[in-house]
Amino acid sequence: MKNDLPNWNKFSESDFIKIEGAKEHNLKDISLKIPRNKLVVITGLSGSGKSSLAFDTIYAEGQRRYMESFSAYARQFLGEMKRPDVDKITGLSPVIAIEQKTTSRSPRSTVGTITEIYDFLRLLYARVADAYSYETGELMVSYTSEQIGKLISEKFTEKGVNILAPIVKGRKGHYRDLFEKLGKQGYSRVRIDEEIYDIVKGLQADRYKTHNIEVLVDRLQIEKKSFEDSRFKRSLSTALKIGEGAILVQAINEKNVQFYSQHLTCPTSGISYKLPEPNLFSFNSPYGACTECNGLGETYSFDEEKIVPNKNISIAKGAIYPLGKRKKNYIFNTIEEIADTFKESITQPFSEHSDEFVKILMFGSLESITDSKIKFEGVIRHLENLNEFNQTSENKWLKSYMRSSTCQSCNGGRLKKEAYHFKIDGKSIAEVANLDIDELKEWLTSISNYFDETKKIIAKEILKETINKVNFLLDVGLNYLSLNRTAKTLSGGESQRIRLATQIGSQLVGVLYILDEPSIGLHQRDNLRLIKALKKLRDNGNSVIVVEHDKEIMEEADY
């Protein structure tokens, strides 16, 4: 206890949490008063009962009382909480415990998602980022239907043009049914792979080739003010509707076409993006997650060394660990038959098998291997099928035979390629998520200089909230983390301080916070930041109890 304690006698009973007869675990009938709305440290030797008092008595009773405030119907789903071994506790506020435990073991959970900073970044990128073509690197453009009409009138004045609506882009198929449907709707021509064809009965494309197909909506002469002409407007509107916001315009007797889109479009290659929404930048959403790794940033493949870790034993005795010892089933019968073909025995040590046999054993063969014309898929493909078709908790053991590697499609960034080509100040959201918290704050405070007035207005509140949340992380000494750091790699102390930062940001009042040794592993500079954060919780009108050995926090405590 501090030597310069205030005179507690001048405070009323309501200013204290009063504990009488605490006997939980190794507590020996302890009674004490703890002042409310103060920073209080409970310290002592290991085994002296610090955690028993703070967590197993005070927190447990606060949680139990909170549960009792629910209806009987709700409590049946929560289960009953045991009352701690204490005679009486009075003056108890709602309690939040911030312990040292990993926040989440989900591979999708990161510092950015836990703190919700990444959610604000997704919103920022969806509203003010510039889009660039992943084909040419050019800035993407988008137009309204009126703007498209004026651009066509200016570019193709005094020319005859074909107004085309894209309906198939980069897909295989013969599309016979599509052409018949278009014919019934009154259209007479289509453009297949840059060649125009009349829609006649039986028209079809090569089903094994990739095609780009557009329907010819109209053919007309463009004048200076064609955008005011009713026929032109009607044709343009129809083409945009069929093409889902995109059209192509081709001057008659010319090969080149001009792309226009109400979406974001590359002026050279014609590729287009849909207008961005926050879920485009989310690796937890099918809309934004990389299709190769499903938003995990890494892919898994079976490792031969893990499948056969001990090559001194035979296949019959379980050298192929996932298969176990020899059994009477299809795969072992097949392996024995293949071994006989190669004049091998499954009872000999695995290390004595020929390379050719091991290759067939692991990877199989598309050709018949034995006289019975068996085509063996291989042990690895067999395990891949098990993993693919039975995604249950029972199959988690298969992960132990796999190795992880960075996803080649997204390079570990977890997102679809379109998401990487929306940039602010030349940085994609994945690059920003890789910045440490200090660098992130510096970037957030400077990017307004790159916005025009409209974007400044849009980004103002988003940036304000994001910077506030970043400041909370800096307050608790987590300036070295990055937003893409996965939750399962965080230490207990880091997880605790992240939750502490979240609680500071919530700005709750009248709450009792209990923390378990938050200063573990901190340097002196970061320890001072932590003390400031704890005092900020207290100054917001909360009570803070810290179980701690650190002298610095004890010296700064009120009690």
Side-chain angles (χ1 to χ4, degrees):
M1 192 180 294
K2 292 179 68 174
N3 295 324
D4 54 344
L5 289 176
N7 180 14
W8 299 115
N9 295 325
K10 66 180 182 179
F11 295 94
S12 66
E13 287 296 310
S14 62
D15 293 322
F16 293 91
I17 301 167
K18 190 174 181 181
I19 301 147
E20 297 179 11
K23 309 178 191 67
E24 193 69 32
H25 299 316
N26 51 352
L27 295 175
K28 305 298 183 182
D29 200 18
I30 297 293
S31 297
L32 72 157
K33 291 180 179 179
I34 298 176
R36 292 161 57 87
N37 302 327
K38 301 292 180 182
L39 172 56
V40 177
V41 173
I42 300 175
T43 189
L45 299 173
S46 295
S48 60
K50 304 184 299 295
S51 296
S52 296
L53 175 62
F55 291 99
D56 300 324
T57 304
I58 299 173
Y59 173 64
E61 178 63 8
Q63 193 177 40
R64 186 187 70 82
R65 292 183 186 182
Y66 173 66
M67 295 298 184
E68 284 192 347
S69 69
F70 293 168
S71 66
Y73 176 77
R75 290 203 303 274
Q76 71 177 323
F77 300 105
L78 300 171
E80 289 190 19
M81 294 202 66
K82 182 184 173 185
R83 189 180 189 279
D85 192 358
V86 61
D87 294 341
K88 185 180 180 182
I89 299 181
T90 58
L92 195 59
S93 304
V95 186
I96 294 175
I98 306 178
E99 298 178 81
Q100 285 211 15
K101 60 182 181 181
T102 303
T103 307
S104 171
R105 296 198 175 274
S106 167
R108 297 182 180 280
S109 188
T110 65
V111 171
T113 59
I114 295 167
T115 58
E116 298 180 358
I117 294 173
Y118 191 76
D119 296 335
F120 282 99
L121 283 181
R122 291 195 294 115
L123 182 60
L124 183 70
Y125 268 79
R127 298 295 175 258
V128 297
D130 294 320
Y132 295 86
S133 168
Y134 57 73
E135 290 284 349
T136 65
E138 293 178 80
L139 187 67
M140 306 282 270
V141 293
S142 61
Y143 303 108
T144 64
S145 59
E146 290 80 9
Q147 288 174 322
I148 292 172
K150 288 183 180 179
L151 288 169
I152 293 171
S153 295
E154 291 170 4
K155 185 174 181 64
F156 296 95
T157 302
E158 307 299 333
K159 289 184 179 180
V161 298
N162 294 322
I163 306 293
L164 301 157
I167 49 177
V168 173
K169 186 170 179 63
R171 296 204 306 270
K172 292 180 180 179
H174 56 67
Y175 298 104
R176 184 171 55 245
D177 295 339
L178 174 63
F179 298 141
E180 288 180 5
K181 182 180 177 182
L182 290 172
K184 290 176 182 178
Q185 291 174 347
Y187 297 104
S188 59
R189 291 185 180 89
V190 288
R191 184 173 180 261
I192 306 173
D193 301 332
E194 301 184 3
E195 293 292 334
I196 292 179
Y197 297 86
D198 291 330
I199 297 177
V200 295
K201 188 175 181 180
L203 176 65
Q204 65 180 53
D206 187 333
R207 66 179 300 177
Y208 299 108
K209 290 184 178 179
T210 300
H211 302 291
N212 294 319
I213 301 173
E214 301 91 29
V215 59
L216 180 60
V217 175
D218 200 358
R219 176 175 285 183
L220 44 78
Q221 185 75 18
I222 300 296
E223 305 298 339
K224 280 191 175 181
K225 292 194 175 181
S226 282
F227 61 87
E228 296 178 357
D229 181 67
S230 58
R231 176 183 169 183
F232 178 72
K233 283 184 177 180
R234 191 164 56 250
S235 298
L236 183 62
S237 175
T238 302
L240 287 170
K241 185 177 180 181
I242 295 171
E244 297 182 344
I247 68 165
L248 291 80
V249 179
Q250 179 187 37
I252 295 172
N253 299 324
E254 290 184 16
K255 277 283 185 183
N256 294 334
V257 295
Q258 183 68 44
F259 296 89
Y260 298 99
S261 178
Q262 292 173 313
H263 307 305
L264 295 164
T265 305
C266 172
T268 300
S269 67
I271 63 167
S272 64
Y273 306 154
K274 290 184 179 179
L275 294 176
E277 291 296 330
N279 59 3
L280 172 65
F281 306 100
S282 172
F283 42 79
N284 287 318
S285 165
Y287 187 76
C290 169
T291 53
E292 187 69 26
C293 64
N294 293 320
L296 295 175
E298 55 186 13
T299 54
Y300 292 86
S301 58
F302 283 96
D303 188 342
E304 288 182 67
E305 295 299 321
K306 292 182 178 181
I307 292 171
V308 188
N310 184 359
K311 296 184 179 180
N312 294 321
I313 61 176
S314 67
I315 295 172
K317 289 187 177 180
I320 304 174
Y321 269 39
L323 301 184
K325 294 183 179 180
R326 177 165 56 181
K327 309 175 191 68
K328 288 186 177 180
N329 59 20
Y330 165 76
I331 192 162
F332 269 104
N333 292 340
T334 306
I335 289 172
E336 284 193 63
E337 196 169 341
I338 295 169
D340 290 340
T341 302
F342 282 88
K343 295 182 172 51
E344 307 265 0
S345 172
I346 67 169
T347 59
Q348 68 187 85
F350 193 91
S351 58
E352 295 180 6
H353 290 307
S354 66
D355 291 342
E356 187 180 3
F357 172 69
V358 171
K359 184 179 178 181
I360 295 290
L361 183 67
M362 288 295 161
F363 301 101
S365 174
L366 295 175
E367 299 175 356
S368 299
I369 302 166
T370 66
D371 293 336
S372 58
K373 297 183 179 180
I374 290 176
K375 291 182 180 179
F376 183 54
E377 63 185 358
V379 171
I380 288 178
R381 184 58 190 158
H382 172 72
L383 295 176
E384 286 173 350
N385 288 337
L386 280 179
N387 190 52
E388 184 177 350
F389 296 113
N390 188 16
Q391 293 282 357
T392 64
S393 57
E394 295 176 4
N395 258 12
K396 286 185 178 177
W397 60 275
L398 286 171
K399 287 283 186 185
S400 61
Y401 301 107
M402 292 179 167
R403 66 173 181 269
S404 64
S405 55
T406 302
C407 176
Q408 297 300 308
S409 179
C410 65
N411 200 28
R414 304 179 174 212
L415 300 171
K416 290 179 179 176
K417 63 180 178 181
E418 291 90 338
Y420 296 110
H421 292 82
F422 286 86
K423 298 184 179 183
I424 298 175
D425 184 24
K427 285 185 170 63
S428 68
I429 193 168
E431 291 173 306
V432 173
N434 277 322
L435 300 175
D436 65 40
I437 302 301
D438 273 332
E439 293 171 331
L440 177 61
K441 182 181 178 181
E442 184 179 343
W443 183 78
L444 288 169
T445 53
S446 66
I447 56 173
S448 289
N449 299 327
Y450 299 93
F451 295 152
D452 58 30
E453 290 305 313
T454 302
K455 286 186 176 181
K456 281 182 180 178
I457 294 170
I458 295 170
K460 182 179 178 182
E461 289 301 318
I462 304 173
L463 287 173
K464 179 183 174 183
E465 290 298 322
T466 311
I467 291 170
N468 280 343
K469 286 185 175 292
V470 168
N471 283 333
F472 296 143
L473 288 179
L474 292 174
D475 286 343
V476 295
L478 294 175
N479 54 302
Y480 58 89
L481 292 181
S482 61
L483 296 185
N484 70 345
R485 173 89 172 265
T486 54
K488 63 181 181 180
T489 64
L490 296 172
S491 68
E494 288 169 336
S495 297
Q496 185 186 44
R497 290 195 291 279
I498 285 174
R499 288 195 292 274
L500 176 58
T502 304
Q503 291 301 325
I504 295 171
S506 70
Q507 298 183 330
L508 291 173
V509 176
V511 174
L512 170 59
Y513 289 99
I514 301 178
L515 293 91
D516 183 19
E517 299 188 354
S519 68
I520 285 181
L522 284 185
H523 296 296
Q524 184 177 12
R525 181 191 63 183
D526 293 330
N527 215 357
L528 293 173
R529 285 178 168 177
L530 174 63
I531 292 168
K532 287 182 180 179
L534 295 174
K535 287 185 174 180
K536 186 177 286 189
L537 274 182
R538 177 203 63 189
D539 295 341
N540 286 346
N542 301 296
S543 306
V544 183
I545 296 177
V546 180
V547 176
E548 185 60 85
H549 290 286
D550 186 81
K551 289 184 179 179
E552 208 161 2
I553 291 183
M554 291 162 57
E555 289 168 358
E556 294 292 331
D558 302 315
Y559 187 70

